[in-house]
Amino acid sequence: MTTLSDLNACDTNTFVERLRGLYEHSPWIPERAAFARPFATVTALKQALQGVVSSATLDEQLGLIRAHPELAGKAAIAGELTAESTSEQARSGLNLCSPEEFATLHKLNADYNAKFGFPFILAVKGPTGQGLTREAVIATFARRLKNQRNDEIAECLRQIHRIAEIRLNELLGVSLAFGPQIMQWSEDLAQWSDDADGLTCAYLTEAHRQTAAQLAEWMRGSGMAVTIDSVGNVVGHCAANAPGAKTLITGSHYDTVRNGGKYDGRLGILLPIAIVRHLHERGEKLPFNLEVIGFAEEEGVRFRSTFLGSNAVTGQFDMSLLDAVDADGVTIRSALQAAEHDPATIPFIARKREDVAAYVEVHIEQGPVLLERGLPLGVVTAIAGSSRFLIELTGLASHAGTTPMTMRKDAAAAAAEIVLLVEQRCSQAESLVGTVGQLSVPGGSVNVIPGACKLSLDIRAADDAVRLAAVKDVMDGIAAICARRHIEWSAERIVEASAAPCAPWLMDQLGAAVERTGLARFDLLSGAGHDAMAMASLTDVAMLFTRCGNGGISHNPLETMTADDADLAATALLDFFRRFQPRA
């Protein structure tokens, strides 16, 4: 078995020879990486190999891509693949394609090569290393065929690095302590959904309660004392090895958006459970109390009220929200009672500020920044503040054929102008973003000028002053547009959340843990809202992001990450726990 020490100590020729199988027919990659030795960790070696490819010329990168075989292509049929490629394609059953599947792949290969000029590259062992199904391979192939060439070059190189990562793990006998379990638990939780197709887990539904029960079971099996509080939070508690210790809280939410991904929120619960199980098996205690909280509600899907779980923990739960109703007229109060929770006890959930040392949350990035930089982990600097509104426009419905263009009060036309206003105004500052994610014409008809229109508005920025200035300008612009078009309008504010900066002293400790894995520390902003925003009213907060695959897609079934990245995040967080120094 080759070891990292062997690779650090051997001569360059031996180093290149031992790593020859990582990148197809491309020994120049380990040859250039050899000069960066010694490597403190396997992760550092992976980053060095990746860095060689990133700094290569475009011709060299295209040569690397073209050195790879087509999936189930001519080389596979002729038995001309490398041993590594043969094994990988067999793991996904590509050697067992039906005639129809083979014909589909043959056409996809031809169409892809004709469009891009290089073969389709996919790490067919997938995010877990256990292999994608043939159906998943074909679906990914068809989806990526729609990409632009530059995007596809970048994606092919990312897939090549994933292939090399898996091969290097096998070469060095790397065993992931946490990643496979975290990925499997994520799959297991996804079986409970409000909908038959896709993953939807809205607050206090049957699927939500089943998810809570499963989290509680895993926490107990990991040695934690477990409670489910009166708002539905699942709380696992690990007592410190010293009396009077403060509590470090970690966790995230287990509810999802409609047709969402498996890792949003849930990663931040499952990952620390895996860590606690590891500590429990070793009989290891931490010098502080550790709470892992699965927050019951963050997304606002069912009742349009976000952060219900974390707001209860911070003592900021608005009891008037108990009368909020869902689409079926069910109140939060009655939903809690149906789940056998007592709403009257929610105020008693609140933690005392003096008892809490800090809050740290691990979360999938939900964006492409880490992915494009080739980094598995990043330290969050701040969570962007958010202003959200529901806007209603009222014009005059009239005949589409008989009403002159100059006499119309077209609500949809006003909405279209507002969408462009948001795009224009929110392109004027870094970290400022604006989105109209919902747009509808109630009762619309093909031959009727829209008399009403409803749209959402979401404006976010790391700097509250920047965000509020943009909100004012957009609202002033809406007023001007509607006045000019003779449209009545109203705006209902549904979310107003201030930006939440992460505590530098916690960021530094997280960053140091990331660096000890062999990665460079990289800091980035979170444009998405997280429970850490709410927890910031109770204690100092920090966040660790993990890389999000598939172009950074989230809130979508295509949301993905790898077992290796999950393992690296768990390794960093465990290191952070063991070396944690409370603020003086």
Side-chain angles (χ1 to χ4, degrees):
M1 176 73 70
T2 301
T3 67
L4 185 62
S5 295
D6 294 336
L7 293 174
N8 280 331
C10 66
D11 61 52
T12 299
N13 289 337
T14 303
F15 180 85
V16 172
E17 186 58 35
R18 290 186 178 180
L19 299 185
R20 180 175 293 277
L22 299 188
Y23 291 90
E24 296 277 314
H25 309 294
S26 302
W28 57 272
I29 298 172
E31 184 177 282
R32 295 180 193 177
F35 296 101
R37 292 182 293 171
F39 302 109
T41 66
V42 174
T43 298
L45 170 57
K46 292 175 182 177
Q47 287 287 298
L49 292 165
Q50 178 181 288
V52 169
V53 177
S54 298
S55 60
T57 66
L58 178 59
D59 284 345
E60 288 175 320
Q61 292 174 344
L62 288 172
L64 172 61
I65 294 171
R66 290 175 179 136
H68 285 70
E70 294 179 339
L71 295 183
K74 294 177 182 177
I77 296 169
E80 297 172 352
L81 299 181
T82 62
E84 292 85 359
S85 287
T86 299
S87 171
E88 288 157 359
Q89 294 205 22
R91 178 65 71 90
S92 285
L94 292 175
N95 58 330
L96 302 173
C97 287
S98 67
E100 293 79 11
E101 289 170 330
F102 179 78
T104 298
L105 284 168
H106 180 73
K107 185 175 189 309
L108 286 169
N109 275 319
D111 291 347
Y112 188 95
N113 263 297
K115 180 175 181 179
F116 298 119
F118 48 79
F120 173 75
I121 311 296
L122 178 66
V124 293
K125 285 194 174 180
T128 65
Q130 300 304 305
L132 298 171
T133 64
R134 293 193 297 276
E135 294 79 9
V137 170
I138 290 170
T140 304
F141 209 148
R143 175 171 53 83
R144 282 176 48 192
L145 187 56
K146 301 173 185 177
N147 284 351
Q148 299 299 310
R149 190 171 190 269
N150 286 344
D151 293 338
E152 197 54 20
I153 290 173
E155 184 59 28
C156 282
L157 293 175
R158 283 192 285 266
Q159 293 297 323
I160 287 170
H161 291 311
R162 175 61 180 156
I163 292 168
E165 176 171 62
I166 293 171
R167 292 177 179 179
L168 185 60
N169 287 348
E170 292 173 351
L171 176 68
L172 299 181
V174 173
S175 177
L176 304 180
F178 306 104
Q181 182 65 80
I182 293 166
M183 299 294 282
Q184 185 58 56
W185 279 342
S186 299
E187 289 293 328
D188 294 342
L189 275 192
Q191 69 181 294
W192 289 297
S193 175
D194 301 332
D195 300 324
D197 296 323
L199 173 58
T200 303
C201 184
Y203 185 47
L204 296 176
T205 61
E206 180 62 27
H208 187 269
R209 295 197 292 272
Q210 290 173 319
T211 300
Q214 181 62 81
L215 288 172
E217 180 180 328
W218 286 333
M219 287 180 177
R220 290 190 193 96
S222 300
M224 288 183 261
V226 183
T227 58
I228 298 180
D229 66 27
S230 55
V231 82
N233 295 327
V234 185
V235 183
H237 184 83
C238 300
N241 60 5
K246 288 191 173 185
T247 300
L248 180 66
I249 303 176
T250 187
S252 195
H253 61 97
Y254 64 90
D255 67 321
T256 74
V257 297
R258 292 186 178 89
N259 200 26
K262 300 182 183 78
Y263 309 104
D264 174 16
R266 295 168 175 209
L267 173 67
I269 309 167
L270 300 175
L271 187 148
I273 294 176
I275 290 174
V276 170
R277 185 178 72 165
H278 175 79
L279 293 172
H280 181 65
E281 289 171 348
R282 293 166 54 92
E284 182 178 349
K285 290 271 191 179
L286 296 169
F288 49 84
N289 300 313
L290 179 66
E291 275 192 353
V292 180
I293 304 182
F295 293 113
E297 201 283 335
E298 186 253 21
E299 298 288 4
V301 168
R302 183 176 179 186
F303 293 101
R304 281 176 36 187
S305 297
T306 58
F307 304 120
L308 296 180
S310 45
N311 278 337
V313 170
T314 64
Q316 302 297 312
F317 188 93
D318 182 355
M319 296 295 281
S320 69
L321 291 176
L322 293 173
D323 297 319
V325 297
D326 66 9
D328 297 319
V330 178
T331 65
I332 293 180
R333 187 190 310 278
S334 59
L336 284 167
Q337 291 169 338
E340 300 183 353
H341 298 309
D342 181 3
T345 64
I346 290 175
F348 302 109
I349 295 172
R351 306 299 195 268
K352 295 179 180 178
R353 179 182 296 272
E354 59 269 24
D355 294 338
V356 179
Y359 173 79
V360 179
E361 181 172 355
V362 178
H363 206 284
I364 193 167
E365 183 199 341
Q366 300 183 280
V369 176
L370 293 174
L371 184 72
E372 292 183 355
R373 290 180 176 268
L375 290 172
L377 305 178
V379 178
V380 177
T381 56
I383 305 164
S386 176
S387 299
R388 297 183 195 172
F389 301 84
L390 292 178
I391 297 175
E392 294 194 18
L393 308 177
T394 304
L396 181 64
S398 56
H399 197 290
T402 61
T403 308
M405 297 299 290
T406 56
M407 299 177 65
R408 298 184 176 208
K409 299 179 180 179
D410 188 331
E417 195 171 344
I418 290 168
V419 172
L420 295 177
L421 165 68
V422 172
E423 181 181 57
Q424 183 273 332
R425 177 59 183 85
C426 293
S427 300
Q428 296 178 13
E430 189 175 355
S431 87
L432 173 66
V433 293
T435 306
V436 175
Q438 296 174 319
L439 183 62
S440 65
V441 179
S445 179
V446 68
N447 61 348
V448 177
I449 297 166
C453 196
K454 296 182 179 181
L455 61 154
S456 63
L457 173 62
D458 182 324
I459 296 179
R460 308 185 191 203
D463 187 314
D464 286 335
V466 171
R467 171 176 54 86
L468 295 174
V471 169
K472 181 181 185 304
D473 289 347
V474 168
M475 289 300 170
D476 289 347
I478 292 173
I481 290 167
C482 290
R484 174 164 40 80
R485 290 181 172 274
H486 306 291
I487 302 291
E488 296 179 4
W489 71 286
S490 64
E492 176 191 359
R493 190 188 304 267
I494 55 174
V495 170
E496 185 64 33
S498 298
C502 292
W505 69 275
L506 282 171
M507 289 173 57
D508 287 344
Q509 292 189 47
L510 262 185
V514 168
E515 289 175 334
R516 285 189 290 270
T517 69
L519 292 172
R521 170 177 166 175
F522 177 73
D523 295 354
L524 71 166
L525 170 73
S526 172
H530 301 289
D531 287 294
M533 295 180 76
M535 293 297 289
S537 68
L538 174 70
T539 188
D540 285 347
V541 303
M543 291 191 71
L544 181 68
F545 271 175
T546 64
R547 175 169 46 190
C548 185
N550 278 344
I553 295 172
S554 185
H555 281 183
N556 185 299
L558 291 175
E559 177 183 278
T560 190
M561 63 180 297
T562 68
D564 289 77
D565 287 1
D567 197 84
L568 205 56
T571 300
L573 187 64
L574 175 57
D575 183 29
F576 170 84
F577 287 160
R578 284 173 168 160
R579 297 170 182 256
F580 176 67
Q581 295 294 319
R583 192 173 189 179

